[in-house]
Amino acid sequence: MNQENVPEEAAERRPAAQPGAALWSGGDGKRCSKVVAFKFGGSSLLGAERMLHAARLVREAAQKSKVVVVVSAMKGVTDHLLTIEKALAAGKVPYARREAEVVLEMHLEVLENLRLDEESDRRVRHELQLLEHDLLHEVAGWRQSTNRAEFSDRLASFGERFSARLFAAALEKLEVASVPVTSSEFVLTCDTFRDAQPHLEQSKLRGRKILLPLLKEGTVPVVTGFIGATPDGRITTLGRNSSDFSGAIVAQVVDADELVIWTDVDGIYTANPQESAEARLLHELSYEEAHALAAGGAKVLHPKVLPLAAESEMVVWVRNTFNPQARGTRIGPASECSSALPSGGAV
Ligand code: ADP
Ligand code: ASP
Ligand code: MG
């Protein structure tokens, strides 16, 4: 099976009476088109050229399917934002302020290199400046925040909020209708800041109200990974490297047929290919096999993705943004190919 084929039974297994299902089902109660969720990691978004390249992958998929996108912050930005928090804790307020300005400058540079038409450029610039205003407001008011972890989540959330706006702009430049969506609008979590657990059912109910009408009208929602909010509206994050998990949550919200994790390697290997010359690419894995690798520390996939994907038997692909010709690793219910994992498991 290749990534464009969806077994028909999978679509038929889906309950017809999901909230919001009527938004896009035909008169017979069946869904009209395939839905895919694309998650892009930080290295796939680092700079205008990479954003446009990733946006082209979305444009191609959007010709055949409904697409929802989930983005990380640009590589390095979350670390940068967290140094602001450390600087403030050490009393280095002017330094923290300067760092916040540097974060804005990084994103403004990407905007410039996207070379949007004048009107779009003005609009997106304004959106970025509003975010910067909020970020500087956080920096100025840091003494008022009594909970350090909560404050750190609010700061860290800006990376994804910036990148979602820029990625939506990159799509628009390619004439793909798109809109940035901040996931704290629907991903409801507990208040364990820095490692918040999502309330999946409630998030699904709220998320469908926001995302399904967009998909129905052919707009690509560009959703921030990593971020949620408590029911009383305080921003949380799902933990470092958790945008993959956000990808799985968003895919589940829209009942996606597939989730594609676009990253910087050709798929899941037996070991980190950047560190081991012996690492072997795995073409086909069961949920359990891939979960064992993720839980064993393979950074390429967040360990919370597969238990969630397995619940709805959603197929997960891990693919290389920079080498989209490569098929990638398929994780899902057994297909005609047998598992590529050496017997006895890889961890
Ligand atoms: P992203 O920014 O796209 O989320 P990450 O850096 O989080 O990307 O994950 C991709 C990285 O995971 C790869 O560059 C690779 O170094 C690392 N990695 C660790 N273990 C594995 C593995 N078993 N297979 C593939 N990549 C792995
Ligand atoms: N931006 C967040 C981080 O750096 C989430 C992610 O990239 O997955 O941890
Ligand atoms: Mg990652």
Side-chain angles (χ1 to χ4, degrees), residues 194-213:
R194 295 189 177 130
D195 186 25
Q197 309 304 311
H199 303 306
L200 291 171
E201 277 314 308
Q202 291 171 45
S203 302
K204 188 162 183 173
L205 286 173
R206 285 171 70 142
R208 289 173 80 79
K209 289 199 184 117
I210 296 172
L211 300 178
L212 294 193

Side-chain angles (χ1 to χ4, degrees), residues 39 241 244 299-300:
K39 180 266 171 177
N241 211 20
D244 298 341
K299 190 188 173 213
V300 66

Side-chain angles (χ1 to χ4, degrees), residues 39 42 72-73 78-79 160 226 239-244:
K39 180 266 171 177
S72 295
T78 308
D79 289 337
E160 274 70 10
F226 189 44
R240 292 306 305 268
N241 211 20
S242 62
S243 288
D244 298 341

